[in-house]
Amino acid sequence: MKRFLALALVLLLSFSLISCGEKEAPAAPEATEEETLVVDNDEVDKASLKEITIGLVTDTGGIDDKSFNQGTWEGIKYYAKKFELPEGNISFLQSTSDADYIPNLSQFSEDKKDLMVAAGFLFEESIAKIAADFPDQKILFIDAVVEAPNVLNALFAEHEGSYLVGVAAALKAQDAGKDTVGFVGGMDFDTIQKFEAGFEQGVLAVDPNMKVVIDYVGDFNKPEDGQTLAAKMYDAGVYVIYHAAGGSGNGVIKEAKDRVQNGEDVWVIGVDKDQFSEGVYADGKSVILTSMLKAVYQAAYDTSKLVAQDKFEGGTRIYDLKANGVGIPAVNPNLTEEWTKKIEEYANKIRNGEIMVDPVPSRIK
Amino acid sequence: MLKKRSHLTLSLIAILLSFVVASVVMLISGISPLSFFLSLIRTMTGMNLRAIGKEGFFNARYLGEFIQMAMPIILTGLSVGFAFRTGLFNIGAEGQVIMGSVGAVAVGILFKLPFYIHLPLAIFVAALCGALWGWIPGYFKAKFGVHEVVVTIMMNYTALYLGNFIIKALPGSDNQKTVKLAATSLLHSKFLRQLTGNSRLHWGFIVVIIALFVYHFIIEKTTFGYELRAVGFNKDAAEYGGIKVSSRIAYSMAIAGAFAGLAGAMLTLGTFDYGRVIGTFENYGFDGIAVALLGGNTAFGIFFGGLLFGGLKSSQTLMQASGIPLEIAIIVSALIILFVAMKNGIDLVFEWMDARKRSKDESH
């Protein structure tokens, strides 16, 4: 672990040095600790890898969206750094509207990038068209599926990661003598229901008598509605809220921060990335209990390597706990060591198939 | 007598000045202005001046995408320009585009017709929806004297949310988009696609050309257009001269809305082939304001203004690919708008210089 941290520090330093030396390249967003989370159990020699070019096309969220696009780009950057790709071998095109998707994807395909990456189901139509127009272009498509021989789809087992944060929520609530936790979703459809289902099962696995309150904002970009919903839940005695609501979730975090500053004791569980820093209210203290990580960077890294090894094949790959696709952050200041150990036990049980997490919530069955 | 500088000269000077300032901005941020202009040229002509005589010199896809991108902007330019000529400020083109798109999508999904009825019907309904969305603020202005700027801004938001609601309510829609429209309602063309290396160029350019002629004809050649212009020059004088000002205002806004509605049809029937739920405005209407200003509200000027803005928008891909950040491309577009808005100021500067020169000549 120490060596790993040291390596991460060195990487960070070298990155800042390089970025000082750069003049021409567009300013890339600062590296965060996330990129060090890429796991690679199959260390290979750089010489065995082809020197590839990688292009990322972002959706309208842009390269610094603190979500999909940024995470994917971090995975690509990590790959380029680790295997010392020449500068200019990795690049991105940002889209200002969805009318830009096809021209941007065409541009990279005409430039004959060894691998082209796009994230988010908004790209579905465009990827399908480009995959047909450029049958030789290798494409990694994150978080949605296009059936084509040159497209590798990366899907995530969000229910497995949500199970783990459910365990964390229940342990925390038990410890504080509370009996209710809550889930705030963005919109009520199958992708988000997976978060709900895993969370619920994780909570009940620790304490079958615990109550799980479920509600949906109905929108991913309405922080004010998320805040209202969170206020309602906290007033009703909910102790920990797990949000899977994108931008609306920021309202949930804000409400928790407001309450904690007024002396109340409430918590939030973050989603997609480590949201600890977003929940900070005073000298390094955060309302974020832990976060459910969705490791899009892992998919970007793995696939880049596959391409460099000439092993790329179309199809669908599930990024579950076993494939390091989901999980909780390595560092959780608000969890005790005992809890972390317990969560890890559950994680192992899911990995070896002892626990099967159901992606469908109980209210629907 | 001092000759009034022509609108064309002033527009060209404005564009030139904005390019100069943009180059300075690029030099300061360490980016080569040369790649900027080469990208712009490559987008608007398909020619890569870096590879003269080499493979990949000409790529028709850029040309196709560029024209495709310019079409809705020319139409929204016509929309804003038409209202301007009647002395009205149509900020509502954005909302009229959205309603036009929704109308076209609804026809494309709900009807099963042969293409020679289906396609014209979809385009007509798009224009009609846009016209309705333009007529409402026009009516309020004429009847109750409510300023059209206030109403059109509010109508933009109404259109955004109402449009999303209707798109989601159409049969088969999910949270993001509708099902594909019937092929008989689309402007797509295999022929144009093949001709331009798989770009999204579509038959909409015919609609744009007709719209340009109609605009020119109504404004310059008809009594109705004369009345509209009279209202634009001086409302009270027009009223005194026997023109029904209030009805002319409502008609003018409706026609302006119809042009914007057509832009919506270009997007849904041409660029895409499904209806989309949009989170925010896409700025087609707002670009139209700049294009109308740049083009001096004439059909000819709006055509070239629209091409320039389409080129700038469309060249963002190539600029990014050659290492220019997206933000710079956006800054340059903003600079053009800024300088066009300052056109009268530029005129004043020239007049001042002329006056100085004259007084010098006289003193000799």
Side-chain angles (χ1 to χ4, degrees):
Chain A
M1 193 63 211
K2 256 188 190 157
R3 264 177 63 197
F4 199 53
L5 274 175
L7 184 75
L9 268 174
V10 169
L11 273 173
L12 209 71
L13 274 176
S14 57
F15 179 81
S16 51
L17 276 179
I18 288 173
S19 52
C20 286
E22 275 175 351
K23 275 226 175 88
E24 290 244 320
E30 287 301 310
T32 70
E33 66 274 37
E34 259 177 354
E35 68 174 76
T36 62
L37 288 174
V38 170
V39 182
D40 192 349
N41 298 324
D42 170 38
E43 290 299 335
V44 293
D45 187 28
K46 183 187 165 246
S48 69
L49 297 175
K50 276 198 307 181
E51 213 167 70
I52 57 168
T53 51
I54 310 165
L56 167 72
V57 177
T58 80
D59 63 19
T60 49
I63 194 75
D64 47 4
D65 64 347
K66 296 189 176 172
S67 178
F68 271 11
N69 297 312
Q70 191 171 346
T72 310
W73 180 237
E74 270 157 17
I76 295 171
K77 274 196 306 194
Y78 180 77
Y79 177 88
K81 193 127 302 165
K82 182 163 176 182
F83 297 110
E84 294 159 352
L85 287 187
E87 200 187 322
N89 270 33
I90 62 169
S91 50
F92 59 80
L93 293 176
Q94 303 192 69
S95 310
T96 44
S97 92
D98 51 358
D100 295 340
Y101 293 166
I102 286 184
N104 284 348
L105 293 167
S106 303
Q107 179 69 40
F108 272 156
S109 305
E110 280 176 4
D111 290 349
K112 297 199 166 49
K113 298 282 176 197
D114 294 309
L115 176 65
M116 180 161 74
V117 188
F121 64 102
L122 293 174
F123 273 103
E124 224 170 79
E125 306 276 335
S126 335
I127 292 278
K129 183 175 173 293
I130 293 292
D133 281 355
F134 299 93
D136 295 331
Q137 176 62 52
K138 298 186 181 78
I139 300 170
L140 166 64
F141 190 27
I142 291 175
D143 221 31
V145 176
V146 165
E147 301 279 356
N150 51 337
V151 180
L152 175 63
N153 305 288
L155 294 181
F156 291 82
E158 291 95 347
H159 48 291
E160 294 189 358
S162 302
Y163 188 98
L164 299 185
V165 296
V167 170
L171 289 171
K172 180 77 193 173
Q174 265 186 341
D175 185 56
K178 308 281 167 115
D179 64 347
T180 315
V181 294
F183 171 83
V184 171
M187 285 167 109
D188 193 359
F189 60 92
D190 49 1
T191 317
I192 305 302
Q193 285 161 6
K194 279 159 82 182
F195 292 82
E196 176 196 335
F199 180 70
E200 190 184 22
Q201 290 163 60
V203 172
L204 298 182
V206 175
D207 183 351
N209 296 321
M210 187 93 41
K211 269 185 285 188
V212 184
V213 184
I214 310 260
D215 216 332
Y216 281 84
V217 180
D219 199 303
F220 286 104
N221 275 313
K222 292 242 171 74
E224 63 281 7
D225 290 4
Q227 186 166 2
T228 316
L229 202 53
K232 199 176 98 189
M233 279 195 179
Y234 286 135
D235 283 340
V238 170
Y239 185 55
V240 185
I241 294 181
Y242 173 37
H243 89 84
S248 305
N250 295 336
V252 177
I253 298 175
K254 181 161 186 303
E255 179 65 22
K257 273 182 357 191
D258 289 353
R259 283 179 184 247
V260 169
Q261 273 164 332
N262 288 329
E264 278 185 59
D265 178 27
V266 292
W267 295 90
V268 183
I269 294 174
V271 78
D272 288 346
K273 63 183 200 83
D274 190 351
Q275 292 196 305
F276 187 86
S277 57
E278 263 130 274
V280 172
Y281 53 93
D283 36 279
K285 284 188 189 162
S286 171
V287 295
I288 301 291
L289 182 63
T290 181
S291 299
M292 202 291 279
L293 300 182
K294 197 161 153 180
V296 284
Y297 41 83
Q298 187 73 40
Y301 173 87
D302 287 353
T303 313
S304 305
K305 201 166 149 194
L306 284 178
V307 172
Q309 291 171 321
D310 263 330
K311 286 184 190 159
F312 178 94
E313 264 174 50
T316 296
R317 193 167 167 198
I318 306 289
Y319 276 86
D320 51 13
L321 263 176
K322 224 193 255 170
N324 302 305
V326 290
I328 61 168
V331 185
N332 292 289
N334 287 327
L335 294 181
T336 67
E337 209 165 298
E338 187 193 340
W339 298 343
T340 320
K341 234 183 251 163
K342 229 181 200 150
I343 294 169
E344 191 49 37
E345 273 169 33
Y346 278 104
N348 279 330
K349 279 185 192 163
I350 295 174
R351 283 193 194 105
N352 62 31
E354 215 174 299
I355 296 176
M356 297 292 272
V357 186
D358 192 334
V360 184
S362 61
R363 71 186 160 103
I364 287 173
K365 273 179 280 187
Chain B
M1 247 324 260
L2 189 70
K3 200 182 72 184
K4 190 97 178 118
R5 234 161 290 276
S6 83
H7 187 90
L8 182 67
T9 333
L10 281 176
S11 287
L12 288 178
I13 291 172
I15 293 170
L16 204 69
L17 276 176
S18 64
F19 278 167
V20 170
V21 176
S23 301
V24 174
V25 171
M26 281 184 269
L27 283 173
I28 292 172
S29 21
I31 297 155
S32 149
L34 189 67
S35 0
F36 173 86
F37 291 109
L38 286 180
S39 300
L40 194 57
I41 291 170
R42 196 175 176 196
T43 303
M44 294 176 74
T45 63
M47 288 185 288
N48 182 4
L49 297 185
R50 280 220 172 99
I52 293 175
K54 278 186 257 173
E55 197 198 350
F57 168 66
F58 182 73
N59 185 341
R61 188 179 62 81
Y62 291 119
L63 204 57
E65 284 293 345
F66 152 56
I67 298 171
Q68 182 273 131
M69 186 67 94
M71 288 194 276
I73 303 179
I74 294 173
L75 286 170
T76 52
L78 291 179
S79 168
V80 178
F82 198 89
F84 263 140
R85 292 300 280 270
T86 323
L88 298 164
F89 195 13
N90 180 20
I91 305 194
E94 195 68 45
Q96 293 146 15
V97 171
I98 296 173
M99 292 317 285
S101 316
V102 170
V105 167
V107 172
I109 289 178
L110 298 176
F111 293 89
K112 272 206 173 77
L113 295 164
F115 86 91
Y116 51 86
I117 304 178
H118 206 175
L119 177 57
L121 182 70
I123 294 174
F124 175 74
V125 170
L128 200 68
C129 290
L132 175 73
W133 222 247
W135 177 80
I136 295 172
Y139 178 78
F140 277 119
K141 165 102 177 179
K143 198 84 180 168
F144 310 111
V146 187
H147 204 287
E148 75 278 6
V149 167
V150 178
V151 183
T152 47
I153 289 178
M154 290 195 297
M155 298 276 289
N156 282 344
Y157 287 95
T158 318
L160 178 66
Y161 293 111
L162 179 66
N164 284 348
F165 174 77
I166 297 173
I167 294 282
K168 284 187 208 166
L170 286 167
S173 300
D174 60 24
N175 273 317
Q176 296 296 329
K177 57 179 188 293
T178 64
V179 289
K180 292 221 163 159
L181 309 190
T184 47
S185 68
L186 295 178
L187 287 159
H188 288 200
S189 151
K190 246 194 197 135
F191 168 69
L192 291 175
R193 208 170 116 77
Q194 277 163 359
L195 197 68
T196 55
N198 280 339
S199 83
R200 290 174 295 177
L201 186 62
H202 53 83
W203 291 123
F205 71 89
I206 298 173
V207 178
V208 175
I209 292 170
I210 296 174
L212 282 162
F213 277 105
V214 167
Y215 179 96
H216 183 77
F217 182 75
I218 294 182
I219 288 281
E220 315 284 353
K221 306 281 177 208
T222 63
T223 322
F224 176 65
Y226 178 78
E227 289 178 358
L228 292 183
R229 278 185 291 149
V231 173
F233 282 131
N234 189 333
K235 219 168 84 173
D236 300 322
E239 182 93 62
Y240 184 69
I243 296 170
K244 286 189 190 124
V245 171
S246 53
S247 86
R248 291 299 169 263
I249 287 176
Y251 279 136
S252 169
M253 282 300 284
I255 293 172
F259 282 122
L262 285 177
M266 296 300 105
L267 291 172
T268 33
L269 305 178
T271 308
F272 297 95
D273 53 1
Y274 51 91
R276 303 162 300 139
V277 172
I278 49 177
T280 50
F281 294 124
E282 298 183 300
N283 288 344
Y284 290 103
F286 301 126
D287 287 339
I289 298 175
V291 166
L293 278 173
L294 187 63
N297 305 327
T298 63
F300 185 74
I302 289 170
F303 174 66
F304 283 102
L307 285 184
L308 178 66
F309 268 74
L312 279 170
K313 267 199 161 179
S314 179
S315 60
Q316 287 174 358
T317 298
L318 255 178
M319 289 180 189
Q320 292 187 69
S322 49
I324 301 171
L326 179 64
E327 290 74 11
I328 294 289
I330 294 172
I331 286 174
V332 176
S333 312
L335 282 171
I336 296 183
I337 299 177
L338 189 70
F339 278 94
V340 168
M342 295 195 307
K343 220 162 46 183
N344 288 336
I346 297 172
D347 200 17
L348 280 178
V349 171
F350 277 110
E351 261 171 40
W352 175 73
M353 275 161 52
D354 277 348
R356 243 174 67 139
K357 214 173 126 200
R358 248 179 322 165
S359 62
K360 254 188 193 164
D361 290 346
E362 277 161 15
S363 64
H364 276 294

